[in-house]
Amino acid sequence: MIRLNLLPKNLRRRVELGWWRLAAGAFALLVLLLLGFLHYTAYTELSLAKAERDALRAEVEALKPFIAEQNRLVQERKALEALLAIREGLKKNFIPWSDYLATFIRQIPQDGGRLPVALRSVGARAIPEDEATQMAQAGTFDGKRVRVEFTVQGEALNQNALVSFVRAFETSPRFGIEFQGASLDQNRGLYTFSARVGLVGGEESAR
C-alpha cells in the first residue's frame, strides 16, 4: 500500500538525524583517515627500507672483489711477517763456525811458516748471552764477553812455543785464554797442554 502525506509542508512531521549519528560518522571517517595515513606511512618506510637494503646488497656485491683482494693481501702480509720473523730468528742465532775456527787457527803463532804447536783436539761451543755475562763479571777470559769457547788439547815443540801460544791469545782483544796446565813428555820431548780459549763475538770483536 502506498502512503501519501497530503498535509502541507509546514504541517508535516520533520525527522532529523541525531547529533550522535553525526559524531559517530565523523569518528568513523577520522579513524579510516588515520588508518589510511598509518598504512601509507608504514608502506613508505617499508619501501624505503627495501630500497636501502637493495642498495646495500648491490654495494656489497660491487665491493666483494676488493674485499677478497684485501683479504688476500692481509694473508700474504701475515705470511711474509712470519717468514721475516723466522729469518730474523735464524740470523740472530746463526753462528759462523767456519769463520770463527779460521780466526782461531790464524791466531796461532808460526815459526818460519810452521806451527810449533800441534792441536790434538779442539772442541767448540756457543755461549748463551746470560752465561757470557756471568763469565765476564767473574773475570773469566780477562773479563771479555766471549761468544764462542774452544776447548783445546795440544802439543808444543818446546817451552817457548807454548809461551808464544798462550801469549798470542792472551794479548789479543778478540780472544781470552784460560790456561789449564801443561806437562813435559820426557820420551818425546814435547809439552802436552790443555786450555780454554774464548772468542769475542758481535760488536766487541770488531773493536
Side-chain angles (χ1 to χ4, degrees):
M1 178 175 39
I2 300 175
R3 297 179 61 184
L4 299 176
N5 190 349
L6 300 178
L7 293 175
K9 290 183 179 181
N10 58 344
L11 297 178
R12 296 178 184 176
R13 187 176 62 177
R14 301 176 63 183
V15 180
E16 298 180 358
L17 295 175
W19 63 269
W20 60 271
R21 293 183 178 177
L22 293 175
F27 179 74
L29 181 60
L30 181 61
V31 170
L32 290 175
L33 290 175
L34 180 60
L35 290 176
F37 175 75
L38 293 175
H39 176 73
Y40 175 77
T41 302
Y43 178 77
T44 302
E45 291 181 354
L46 180 61
S47 299
L48 291 176
K50 288 182 177 180
E52 185 177 359
R53 180 198 63 189
D54 294 339
L56 290 175
R57 284 181 177 176
E59 186 176 356
V60 169
E61 290 295 328
L63 291 176
K64 274 186 177 181
F66 300 98
I67 295 174
E69 179 66 15
Q70 183 180 8
N71 291 336
R72 186 187 68 80
L73 291 176
V74 169
Q75 294 297 327
E76 184 175 348
R77 186 190 67 183
K78 290 182 179 179
L80 290 176
E81 289 176 350
L83 291 176
L84 288 176
I86 294 174
R87 177 187 174 187
E88 290 299 322
L90 293 175
K91 183 178 179 181
K92 181 179 179 180
N93 297 322
F94 173 72
I95 299 177
W97 290 109
S98 58
D99 293 342
Y100 286 160
L101 185 59
T103 303
F104 169 75
I105 294 175
R106 284 197 300 267
Q107 191 65 25
I108 299 175
Q110 298 185 13
D111 184 9
R114 297 175 55 191
L115 292 176
V117 173
L119 301 179
R120 293 191 302 177
S121 66
V122 177
R125 73 180 183 97
I127 301 178
E129 291 291 334
D130 54 348
E131 184 180 351
T133 301
Q134 294 175 2
M135 292 173 65
Q137 293 175 349
T140 308
F141 298 121
D142 297 327
K144 297 174 183 176
R145 188 181 180 86
V146 299
R147 184 177 183 185
V148 177
E149 178 185 276
F150 295 97
T151 303
V152 180
Q153 290 183 345
E155 298 176 341
L157 292 177
N158 49 52
Q159 186 176 359
N160 290 335
L162 181 58
V163 172
S164 297
F165 176 83
V166 174
R167 184 183 296 117
F169 291 99
E170 193 174 42
T171 58
S172 172
R174 298 193 61 183
F175 290 92
I177 186 170
E178 293 288 330
F179 187 72
Q180 295 176 321
S183 61
L184 176 62
D185 186 341
Q186 297 290 344
N187 296 328
R188 296 188 299 162
L190 301 176
Y191 284 89
T192 61
F193 66 92
S194 61
R196 294 167 57 209
V197 178
L199 172 61
V200 177
E203 297 178 356
E204 297 184 26
S205 64
R207 295 178 184 176

